[in-house]
Amino acid sequence: MIHPPTILSLIILALALPAHAAVNRQPADSAPLKFAATEIERAAKDAKQPVPDVTLSVTPDAAQSYRIEREGAKVRVIGGDAAGAMYGGLDIAEAIRTDTLNTLKDSENKPHIEKRGIKFNIPLDLRTPSYTDSSDAAQANIPEVWEREFWIDYLDAMARHRYNVLSLWSLHPFPSMVKVPEFPEVALDDVWRTKAKLDDSFSFSGKGFVRDEMLANHEVVKKITMDEKIEFWRWVMQQAADRGITIYVFTWNVFTYGAEGKHGITDDLGNDITKAYFRASVREMVKTYPLLAGMGITAGEGMPHDMDSKVKERWLWDTYGEGVRDALKNEPKRDFNMIHRFHWTAQSDILDAFKDYPGTFDFSFKYSVAHMYSITKPIFIEPLLEGLAPGRKTWLTVRNDDIYTFRFGDPAYAREYITNIPPADKIAGFYMGPDGYCWGREFLDRNPAPGKRPLVMEKQWYSFMLWGRLAYDPSLPDSHFERILAARHPQVSSTHLFTALQSASQVMPLITRFFWGDIDLKWFPEACWSHRKSKGQGFYTVRHFMEGKSMPGADVLNILNWRTRLTKRQPMEQTTPLDIATALEGAAAETFAALAALRESAKQDTELQKTVNDCEALAWLGRYYAAKIRGACALALFDANGDKFEQDAALRHLDDALTHWKRYAFIRDAHYVPALYNRLGHVDITALIEQVTADLGIARDWKPGTLKDDGKRGGTEKGFRQ
């Protein structure tokens, strides 16, 4: 039901005469509308045409919804709530920037996905690490996340792109965020960072992330008391709320970083002191931060993998469940959302343990495991959808452990992925982000501009915008995003820029659906790499490509299955490896063709030049993978029939692959530094030329009959148990 806009009217008037119109707000205390007003005002300063009167009003209706109405020379936005009115105001600001305000039509808008979030493994302190902390990016970001400028930039970008959930992930955040009266020694003043040189020997389980030598050789990057820390995080949460964003804190369990050894606290699940400490810490987290929307919890990785999930869930209830109940005794109307991840546990045991939870209780599932850039309709969630308890919903963890370095963006892929997400009766929302990289400020750039480094969200603004905007409204056409590119880079053909970004972005999904490693430490397509401790592989050779598996649900033949069908003259009813190679070659060719029209203008536009460089790097990587697949196919045939022709073909393709990798390494490493990643180890693209070259030796020395196909393929993480 639509009510007249007299219930709550928040009016912004922009005089229609000059383009540089002043913006007035009435009343002045609506923070989301203030944010939209600022965006409109900023856009109006550079407007090409006069800016008409704009009215933003709020009439209670569906959350985040809004209507845009034209009344002659005036534009009217009516939001169902303040967030909806803010989004409508952001539409107006965008229309001013893209010079389309005069053609803006009446519309009604509501979110396709209600909760659209970012997953941020937050590096709080040496003493309270997240999963990402044993990496260059996280270490560089420890001081950044304690600066107000960082969060203003971060939350502004989220709101502009229509994200409304921020999830902060930490192994054990409590000592850096709350004071617990029963355990006063736990609260940590100041912010520490180690000066010890990190390496790739850290575990994948989260254990041993704080070593004695790291503590002994540390620096204080910020002097700050615990009370000041609490004030800081309250401020962050208020800034988020002012932009329509809610914040959640996620933990893995059981970790006691920052508290270990104090008051008798250990990471032993059977330690009653530890249980009391966790319960009190959760209570204080809820009470200390009234704007905290909820918490996410995990029955791992600090619990034994083979432990009975009933035991795990009893521990989580006794600590997190009871801690929330304690906190809400004096706030019975507060809905504090608990999100329990489907990870190393079973749904029935979760529900049994948390049957008395006093608020919204959801699940969480890794939707594409670690690779959102693979296929647009992953099948891993199907058992969950069939077995999800009636009335329950799950969040989707949408992991991007595919592209850390480059600018990219393909609206067609994002749109199809988003529209394939199961409906709202089973899905609460999503949060998107990596486990193997830190989405804070960007520290990969070899030649950064003076001053503060840009946020990853600012550098990769186009891809962040696509996912946020399309998650709100997947009907936005490609032409909409092309106009945004045109406004940002007016001196070049937006059609060519759009095509370059879209074509370059196809490389990662194509190669990952063909060569599958489910979690990030098993497959990093930027480097054809896995962590060296992952079955001792490191770089994936041509032999690995011959023996590898394709992504479940991708309908792609791996090389051994393709070879079997070929030699038995069976029909190819799925996408073949050679089809993937052809598609990769096509994506690269389209990228290079589009870049040709951009190169001259890019010399005068720093961001455009960086975008051109990134697209070119991805195109060379696509050509590398295409040639490597062709080489692996030919070598697999030589293995089967001993035909020297096939071996010679393999050598030609692998020599081409080496040439393409050298070009990729040259352009990538001219602009970015090698890096230590927490889930991959040290990655150096130029140094890998030696291993790329070694593929030629493997092919040259190959003996027919070496491959033994036992039909077994590596598995995919099982994310749901009934």
Side-chain angles (χ1 to χ4, degrees):
M1 179 178 179
I2 303 298
H3 303 275
T6 55
I7 297 176
L8 175 61
S9 186
L10 307 173
I11 302 173
I12 296 175
L13 297 176
L15 299 177
L17 295 178
H20 307 286
V23 178
N24 300 311
R25 295 178 298 107
Q26 297 178 1
D29 60 353
S30 173
L33 269 73
K34 180 181 179 181
F35 177 74
T38 302
E39 293 293 298
I40 293 171
E41 198 171 46
R42 183 179 294 120
K45 289 180 180 179
D46 299 320
K48 299 177 182 178
Q49 302 295 330
V51 178
D53 291 352
V54 179
T55 300
L56 302 185
S57 63
V58 175
T59 297
D61 199 6
Q64 305 178 60
S65 67
Y66 62 94
R67 304 197 316 272
I68 294 179
E69 299 175 349
R70 299 298 300 258
E71 298 177 1
K74 299 180 180 180
V75 180
R76 184 182 179 93
V77 176
I78 305 167
D81 59 7
M86 180 186 71
Y87 292 152
L90 293 174
D91 276 5
I92 301 304
E94 182 176 80
I96 296 170
R97 287 195 299 271
T98 56
D99 198 23
T100 57
L101 190 59
N102 290 338
T103 59
L104 193 67
K105 297 179 180 180
D106 290 2
S107 64
E108 294 190 11
N109 307 271
K110 62 180 181 179
H112 175 70
I113 297 176
E114 182 182 353
K115 296 174 182 177
R116 308 166 300 280
I118 297 296
K119 175 187 185 295
F120 183 21
N121 287 9
I122 186 164
L124 292 167
D125 191 290
L126 160 63
R127 297 162 292 177
T128 55
S130 185
Y131 243 113
T132 316
D133 277 31
S134 55
S135 69
D136 292 342
Q139 290 296 306
N141 272 287
I142 288 175
E144 302 296 335
V145 302
W146 292 95
E147 298 298 329
R148 297 192 179 213
E149 179 187 355
F150 174 92
W151 289 108
I152 292 292
D153 293 346
Y154 205 99
L155 297 167
D156 281 358
M158 285 185 64
R160 290 188 193 106
H161 300 326
R162 313 305 193 265
Y163 295 102
N164 64 348
V165 171
L166 174 60
S167 59
L168 304 176
W169 297 57
S170 173
L171 293 169
H172 188 66
F174 304 110
S176 287
M177 294 188 71
V178 295
K179 295 168 69 175
V180 185
E182 302 96 313
F183 301 90
E185 296 177 19
V186 170
L188 299 174
D189 288 334
D190 302 330
V191 178
W192 289 15
R193 178 173 63 182
T194 190
K195 294 192 290 183
K197 184 176 178 57
L198 303 184
D199 57 27
D200 66 355
S201 64
F202 288 87
S203 78
F204 301 140
S205 69
K207 296 286 188 179
F209 271 29
V210 180
R211 299 172 176 175
D212 290 343
E213 61 269 25
M214 295 167 65
L215 292 169
N217 186 15
H218 76 270
E219 60 181 333
V220 177
V221 296
K222 189 177 185 68
K223 294 290 293 182
I224 183 172
T225 67
M226 193 65 225
D227 287 335
E228 290 171 332
K229 287 184 178 183
I230 289 171
E231 188 276 331
F232 176 82
W233 288 111
R234 285 175 175 166
W235 175 87
V236 170
M237 293 180 195
Q238 183 63 61
Q239 293 298 311
D242 290 348
R243 293 156 179 79
I245 297 166
T246 55
I247 292 182
Y248 293 75
V249 171
F250 277 67
T251 66
W252 290 269
N253 293 283
V254 174
F255 296 98
T256 54
Y257 291 117
E260 181 80 19
K262 300 174 182 178
H263 303 284
I265 297 166
T266 68
D267 61 5
D268 179 5
L269 274 72
N271 184 340
D272 288 338
I273 295 175
T274 299
K275 288 175 66 175
Y277 160 70
F278 266 85
R279 178 172 176 170
S281 295
V282 171
R283 179 198 70 215
E284 292 305 310
M285 182 71 81
V286 179
K287 291 174 63 177
T288 301
Y289 299 108
L291 292 177
L292 184 64
M295 293 190 71
I297 57 175
T298 315
E301 276 64 359
M303 294 181 173
H305 190 273
D306 57 355
M307 176 179 280
D308 186 339
S309 60
K310 289 182 174 63
V311 177
K312 296 180 182 180
E313 295 309 324
R314 173 49 58 185
W315 191 94
L316 289 170
W317 168 255
D318 288 344
T319 52
Y320 287 87
E322 293 287 16
V324 172
R325 288 216 301 185
D326 292 343
L328 297 184
K329 285 177 181 176
N330 295 325
E331 283 188 284
K333 294 184 179 180
R334 180 179 175 185
D335 185 15
F336 191 82
N337 190 185
M338 184 64 73
I339 303 173
H340 196 310
R341 299 178 64 213
F342 280 123
H343 190 64
W344 292 15
T345 188
Q347 177 181 239
S348 58
D349 295 329
I350 296 171
L351 291 175
D352 182 61
F354 282 83
K355 60 183 179 296
D356 295 324
Y357 184 77
T360 301
F361 188 87
D362 295 322
F363 295 113
S364 180
F365 181 81
K366 287 193 279 190
Y367 188 50
S368 297
V369 194
H371 301 294
M372 62 186 288
Y373 294 104
S374 51
I375 61 175
T376 59
K377 192 174 184 179
I379 65 170
F380 311 117
I381 199 171
E382 291 176 0
L384 185 157
L385 295 176
E386 294 172 2
L388 187 63
R392 296 294 178 182
K393 293 186 178 184
T394 186
W395 290 72
L396 303 180
T397 305
V398 179
R399 287 267 297 277
N400 174 12
D401 284 298
D402 305 290
I403 310 176
Y404 299 158
T405 307
F406 305 112
R407 297 164 181 83
F408 61 100
D410 180 358
Y413 183 92
R415 187 182 297 110
E416 188 173 318
Y417 190 105
I418 287 163
T419 55
N420 282 334
I421 286 176
D425 63 332
K426 293 190 175 182
I427 302 300
F430 72 86
Y431 22 75
M432 174 181 76
D435 242 11
Y437 187 54
C438 179
W439 270 3
R441 293 199 184 276
E442 196 269 0
F443 287 91
L444 287 172
D445 198 325
R446 185 179 291 275
N447 304 297
K452 281 287 187 183
R453 296 285 190 121
L455 298 173
V456 173
M457 202 180 309
E458 292 172 328
K459 170 188 171 178
Q460 296 178 338
W461 70 272
Y462 186 61
S463 59
F464 278 94
M465 177 194 65
L466 292 177
W467 287 91
R469 297 297 299 279
L470 288 168
Y472 185 95
D473 181 8
S475 72
L476 288 174
D478 289 356
S479 58
H480 183 87
F481 302 113
E482 191 173 322
R483 285 194 295 270
I484 293 172
L485 288 170
R488 194 169 179 111
H489 302 288
Q491 75 279 23
V492 299
S493 162
S494 58
T495 299
H496 286 102
L497 180 54
F498 178 91
T499 300
L501 284 161
Q502 183 172 52
S503 299
S505 300
Q506 292 167 8
V507 170
M508 297 312 194
L510 284 167
I511 188 58
T512 295
R513 71 186 59 156
F514 163 72
F515 191 77
W516 178 247
D518 59 346
I519 57 177
D520 47 329
L521 60 93
K522 292 182 182 178
W523 174 237
F524 182 47
E526 282 192 26
C528 195
W529 181 261
S530 69
H531 196 290
R532 64 184 179 86
K533 291 196 296 183
S534 176
K535 299 182 180 179
Q537 287 175 325
F539 181 76
Y540 284 106
T541 69
V542 66
R543 176 166 189 157
H544 293 128
F545 266 44
M546 288 190 289
E547 296 175 336
K549 66 181 185 301
S550 56
M551 181 182 181
D555 208 30
V556 173
L557 290 172
N558 61 56
I559 287 179
L560 289 177
N561 289 344
W562 165 80
R563 184 181 74 172
T564 297
R565 287 182 172 274
L566 187 69
T567 56
K568 293 183 177 180
R569 299 186 178 182
Q570 295 173 337
M572 300 291 180
E573 297 172 344
Q574 298 169 287
T575 301
T576 70
L578 296 179
D579 291 335
I580 294 289
T582 299
L584 285 164
E585 289 164 345
E590 289 181 4
T591 303
F592 282 120
L595 291 178
L598 305 175
R599 293 187 188 278
E600 189 61 33
S601 295
K603 295 176 182 178
Q604 311 302 320
D605 182 336
T606 301
E607 183 186 64
L608 180 61
Q609 183 63 67
K610 290 176 181 290
T611 303
V612 167
N613 295 339
D614 289 355
C615 290
E616 182 174 353
L618 286 168
W620 284 117
L621 183 61
R623 284 187 170 174
Y624 164 75
Y625 279 129
K628 183 159 185 164
I629 291 170
R630 292 191 183 280
C633 287
L635 192 59
L637 293 179
F638 173 68
D639 177 82
N641 58 28
D643 189 339
K644 186 70 164 52
F645 174 84
E646 298 293 356
Q647 185 182 36
D648 290 343
L651 288 167
R652 287 195 304 273
H653 291 308
L654 294 173
D655 190 55
D656 289 342
L658 174 59
T659 299
H660 300 326
W661 186 274
K662 287 179 178 178
R663 298 295 296 271
Y664 168 58
F666 176 80
I667 191 165
R668 190 271 180 205
D669 287 354
H671 303 290
Y672 298 108
V673 297
L676 175 69
Y677 298 99
N678 57 297
R679 305 275 285 175
L680 295 163
H682 194 262
V683 176
D684 186 330
I685 301 301
T686 296
L688 287 174
I689 290 174
E690 180 179 351
Q691 296 192 57
V692 175
T693 304
D695 272 347
L696 287 161
I698 292 172
R700 193 174 294 113
D701 298 336
W702 196 266
K703 304 300 181 186
T706 299
L707 288 178
K708 306 298 182 184
D709 185 7
D710 58 6
K712 295 180 180 179
R713 302 288 182 264
T716 293
E717 180 179 284
K718 186 176 181 180
F720 173 75
R721 284 166 45 203
Q722 186 68 54

